[in-house]
Amino acid sequence: MQLSEIMKDGRTAFTFEIFPPKKDMPIDTIYKTLDGLRGLHPDFISVTYGAGGSAADTKTADIAQIIKEKYGLESAVHLTCLYNTREDIDLICEQLRERNIRNILALRGDFNPNSERKPASDFPHASDLIAYLKTKGDYHIMAACYPEGHQEAESLDADIANLKRKVDAGATHLLSQLFFDNDAFFRFLDKARAAGINVPIEAGIMPCTSKASIERMVTMCGASLPAKFTRMMAKYQNYPDALKEAGIAYAIDQIIDLVSRGVDGIHLYTMNSPYVAKRISDAVLPLINPGAAR
Ligand code: FAD
């Protein structure tokens, strides 16, 4: 199914995100993850792009091709521009064309202090990359959005004004940063709609299955933690198995609330864990588009 068709007729999207195997790991290790995700019927699986990644590293595009060709599922690549020149992006577009990949999540990326490469200056913001990609081919372009504001933005309103630039440049679908407070997401949604952003916005859900992963994510993206969430952490933090179960239950609860309140889609950060993705999918799929065949 094409990205543009996923949300036709008010359908709610259910999409997954995975990351390529770490450096030094063969690309084949991704098969185990994909074998587990295949039967969960996501509308697409997006594949992240390493911070400071280069055109020489084709893992993201290779995996997106595998998802399409071997698993028969729709895929999307993430692509960042901070470290890529115009020539790099041209080369990557060529690699995507060879692999028949048309869905791109266009991002700026983050400064990576460990990168051997220097940031390039051709595309200072994701909106610059989006505008350029529009000249390069018939892509379905997605962009990132931040329900609680991007960390560098001076305010949520300023960030939403910049989000509008991405949509005006050609993004037709937005995927949100992870969040734990649904009310914060709906406050953001109201503001985005009031700012004239009318494209579908999928809610990013990260099941928190370990204390370390929660702390890392929250430091990185600044998501606020509702009392219900912190109580859960406090109660189960010394019991890893129970914490994992509680994290899955929290994500399910969050998704059911989002879907009942009419969200456009759920983008599940699977962390390459078919077990967690299956537990969540089994619980929520009957509630997403009830009655529709998947
Ligand atoms: P931008 O849209 O360029 O925004 C960055 C900052 O600049 C914001 O504060 C914004 O308000 C501001 N801004 C934007 N446009 C302008 C403008 N024209 N003038 C002035 N200010 C402006 N990172 C990776 O490295 N690899 C990945 O695979 C990856 N996947 C992601 C997937 C999702 C769903 C999300 C939400 C994030 C992902 N990231 C990934 C992280 C992302 O790269 C960072 O959050 C990065 O800091 C911002 O990227 P962006 O595309 O939102 O940037």
Side-chain angles (χ1 to χ4, degrees), residues 48-49 51 78 80 105 107-110 125-126 144 146 150 152-153 159 162 165-166 175-177 269:
T48 65
Y49 185 82
H78 297 204
T80 64
L105 172 59
L107 300 148
R108 184 199 67 180
D110 285 310
H125 295 291
Y146 303 84
H150 183 264
E152 291 164 33
D159 199 35
N162 289 328
R165 293 174 200 249
K166 298 200 264 195
L175 301 181
S176 98
Q177 178 63 281
Y269 294 91

Side-chain angles (χ1 to χ4, degrees), residues 83-293:
Y83 287 86
N84 282 320
T85 61
R86 194 174 291 255
E87 290 70 34
D88 294 326
I89 297 296
D90 288 346
L91 191 58
I92 292 167
C93 286
E94 187 56 27
Q95 292 162 356
L96 297 179
R97 198 189 56 74
E98 285 163 8
R99 291 166 178 77
N100 195 23
I101 292 159
R102 290 170 55 213
N103 303 328
I104 305 178
L105 172 59
L107 300 148
R108 184 199 67 180
D110 285 310
F111 291 94
N112 176 1
N114 302 321
S115 174
E116 289 153 13
R117 306 168 75 212
K118 284 208 173 99
S121 54
D122 288 352
F123 306 102
H125 295 291
S127 52
D128 302 308
L129 175 64
I130 293 166
Y132 187 64
L133 289 172
K134 288 299 287 180
T135 69
K136 294 292 297 176
D138 180 22
Y139 295 117
H140 296 286
I141 301 177
M142 298 183 279
C145 62
Y146 303 84
E148 297 176 82
H150 183 264
Q151 278 183 316
E152 291 164 33
E154 29 179 88
S155 65
L156 181 57
D157 287 343
D159 199 35
I160 288 174
N162 289 328
L163 181 60
K164 176 84 165 49
R165 293 174 200 249
K166 298 200 264 195
V167 173
D168 290 345
T172 53
H173 188 137
L174 302 174
L175 301 181
S176 98
Q177 178 63 281
L178 64 95
F179 62 91
F180 301 104
D181 179 355
N182 286 2
D183 289 339
F185 178 81
F186 283 104
R187 279 195 297 273
F188 156 78
L189 201 58
D190 285 347
K191 279 177 178 269
R193 298 306 184 213
I197 295 170
N198 293 317
V199 300
I201 301 181
E202 286 195 55
I205 297 296
M206 162 85 73
C208 278
T209 52
S210 77
K211 196 172 171 234
S213 74
I214 298 166
E215 282 165 357
R216 196 172 56 245
M217 283 303 153
V218 170
T219 325
M220 275 168 63
C221 76
S224 59
L225 303 178
K228 181 176 166 181
F229 187 88
T230 49
R231 273 196 302 270
M232 175 189 95
M233 289 289 306
K235 180 156 177 76
Y236 300 114
Q237 60 180 330
N238 298 322
Y239 305 95
D241 291 345
L243 184 62
K244 189 171 184 175
E245 288 304 309
I248 291 171
Y250 191 91
I252 291 170
D253 195 36
Q254 232 191 319
I255 294 172
I256 293 173
D257 180 55
L258 287 163
V259 171
S260 340
R261 289 161 78 177
V263 74
D264 292 324
I266 301 292
H267 184 65
L268 190 66
Y269 294 91
T270 69
M271 304 306 288
N272 290 19
S273 168
Y275 171 76
V276 173
K278 180 165 172 26
R279 289 282 309 279
I280 293 174
S281 301
D282 285 350
V284 305
L285 270 180
L287 307 172
I288 296 179
N289 307 311

